[in-house]
Amino acid sequence: MTGGKGVKVQGDHFQTKKDALEYCEDVLQTHPSVVVEEKFEGEEFSLQCLTDGKTVIGTPPVQDHKRAFVNDFGANTGGMGSYSCENHLLPFLEKKDVEDGLEITKKVAEALYKETGEYYKGIMYAGLIKTKDGVKLLEYNARFGDPEAMNVLPLLKNDFVEVCQSIINQQLHKIKFKFENKATVCKYVVPEGYPDNPVKNEKISIGKIPKQARLYYASVDSREDGLYMTSSRGVACLGIAEDLEKAEKIVEEAAKSVKGKVFHREDIGTRKLIEKRIRHMKDILSHKIRKL
Ligand code: GLY
């Protein structure tokens, strides 16, 4: 495990087989093994599901932004921010894509039981990608996504404790789930230099934030004289509204109010970036983008 930051993609982080082997050799100095996977071209999305081992419930799909800088430049991070839409789809997804992701997850939950004889109870957070050949599975995490949890949990109208109890008691099928039909945008405020060379122990201050915004404190230290950043993602800001444009405006104002040696991605949830995603998906579906 490399803290979610070990993945290198051909054509992006390296070009040739030789480059790939050199990276593998580097990793093998400090880690026991390397996983090599088929490369998929497409748009990634997160489908965080709840399961009691028998029933699997999907939450609204979310798109995370792994790259550190605006326009998807820079190193991979734990996730710089994410968005979800009021119709519980994403601008490049059809209803069928989300259903396919859920179907894969149901089959995996079933297979887990068949193979282990035990019901897996908890979160199945599927990392999925829509390709020209349909939705493919990249990975599962047995936890919510960070930041994606902050997009979906505030929309959940049910009592979360009851939901958790129904997972434990295998009564999830009895719960009538309701997620608000609202758009969400989350942006992480991180230390300058993050993720490769973050400045540490820098004091931050938080100005006036819009009343509709929420702030979630992550890697920050609360000291007698105020708040200090550590070396990781510090404060997650969230905007919830009827549509993406409004949610983005709220969150951007909140993120800007965090002052200090910090930055955030201004482009997450903006029309410009969303249109780029839609174009990318259209090109893939029309076979304009071929595998390297
Ligand atoms: N958003 C990426 C993760 O939680 O792993």
Side-chain angles (χ1 to χ4, degrees):
M1 295 293 279
T2 49
K5 299 182 191 100
V7 175
K8 302 279 179 221
V9 180
Q10 192 207 5
D12 214 345
H13 302 105
F14 69 91
Q15 299 301 327
T16 64
K17 208 181 262 185
K18 186 167 166 281
D19 297 340
L21 286 171
E22 276 170 14
Y23 177 59
C24 290
E25 272 162 20
D26 265 7
V27 172
L28 289 170
Q29 304 285 321
T30 48
H31 295 75
S33 58
V34 171
V35 177
V36 179
E37 294 183 329
E38 181 186 352
K39 181 185 175 185
F40 292 130
E41 272 299 347
E43 280 293 326
E44 285 186 46
F45 64 102
S46 308
L47 188 62
Q48 301 166 93
C49 299
L50 304 156
T51 183
D52 60 8
K54 290 180 176 173
T55 302
V56 179
I57 304 291
T59 66
V62 181
Q63 189 171 45
D64 187 17
H65 296 71
K66 300 296 283 182
R67 299 310 193 87
F69 307 124
V70 163
N71 231 353
D72 300 321
F73 285 112
N76 272 339
T77 67
M80 293 294 291
S82 47
Y83 68 92
S84 72
C85 298
E86 65 279 12
N87 62 358
H88 298 172
L89 293 176
L90 290 169
F92 53 88
L93 288 183
E94 317 259 324
K95 196 159 175 258
K96 163 102 175 51
D97 300 319
V98 180
E99 285 166 1
D100 287 352
L102 186 60
E103 198 48 40
I104 294 171
T105 307
K106 285 181 179 169
K107 287 192 175 133
V108 172
E110 218 176 285
L112 283 173
Y113 175 66
K114 279 197 187 131
E115 281 202 32
T116 65
E118 281 187 46
Y119 290 106
Y120 170 75
K121 296 175 177 178
I123 315 301
M124 291 179 78
Y125 151 27
L128 300 161
I129 183 166
K130 178 170 175 172
T131 73
K132 69 176 173 46
D133 302 316
V135 170
K136 307 278 182 188
L137 174 68
L138 297 172
E139 63 172 0
Y140 278 106
N141 284 299
R143 58 167 172 82
F144 278 111
D146 180 5
E148 296 97 314
M150 292 175 277
N151 296 92
V152 302
L153 289 180
L155 300 180
L156 179 65
K157 298 300 282 177
N158 306 70
D159 180 338
F160 190 60
V161 173
E162 268 172 34
V163 170
C164 293
Q165 275 163 347
S166 75
I167 290 176
I168 295 166
N169 304 326
Q170 283 196 316
Q171 299 292 308
L172 204 51
H173 61 285
K174 290 196 179 149
I175 303 252
K176 213 169 148 16
F177 276 89
K178 174 76 189 136
F179 290 92
E180 271 185 286
N181 283 97
K182 291 206 168 152
T184 65
V185 181
C186 185
K187 301 193 190 199
Y188 253 119
V189 176
V190 302
E192 279 177 10
Y194 175 81
D196 293 334
N197 234 335
V199 295
K200 291 180 194 129
N201 297 318
E202 290 290 337
K203 194 172 180 183
I204 55 168
S205 64
I206 299 180
K208 197 171 174 300
I209 58 160
K211 67 174 188 324
Q212 309 98 312
R214 296 184 188 201
L215 258 55
Y216 296 97
Y217 296 91
S219 273
V220 280
D221 270 349
S222 176
R223 300 185 194 162
E224 264 174 27
D225 63 336
L227 273 182
Y228 284 77
M229 296 291 277
T230 65
S231 58
S232 195
R233 293 175 295 174
V235 183
C237 305
L238 182 76
I240 305 178
E242 301 86 73
D243 58 46
L244 268 182
E245 207 172 317
K246 286 187 190 133
E248 195 278 330
K249 282 208 169 78
I250 295 168
V251 73
E252 184 56 29
E253 206 182 319
K256 276 202 181 106
S257 76
V258 183
K259 305 283 186 208
K261 289 190 174 174
V262 294
F263 74 97
H264 68 276
R265 272 188 62 168
E266 287 162 10
D267 60 341
I268 294 170
T270 57
R271 185 184 291 263
K272 191 166 167 224
L273 192 59
I274 302 277
E275 279 170 0
K276 184 177 154 194
R277 303 274 186 256
I278 296 171
R279 270 198 312 278
H280 182 221
M281 202 64 244
K282 272 197 184 138
D283 286 350
I284 282 167
L285 295 178
S286 63
H287 301 253
K288 273 194 207 148
I289 296 180
R290 304 209 177 279
K291 261 191 186 170
L292 288 173

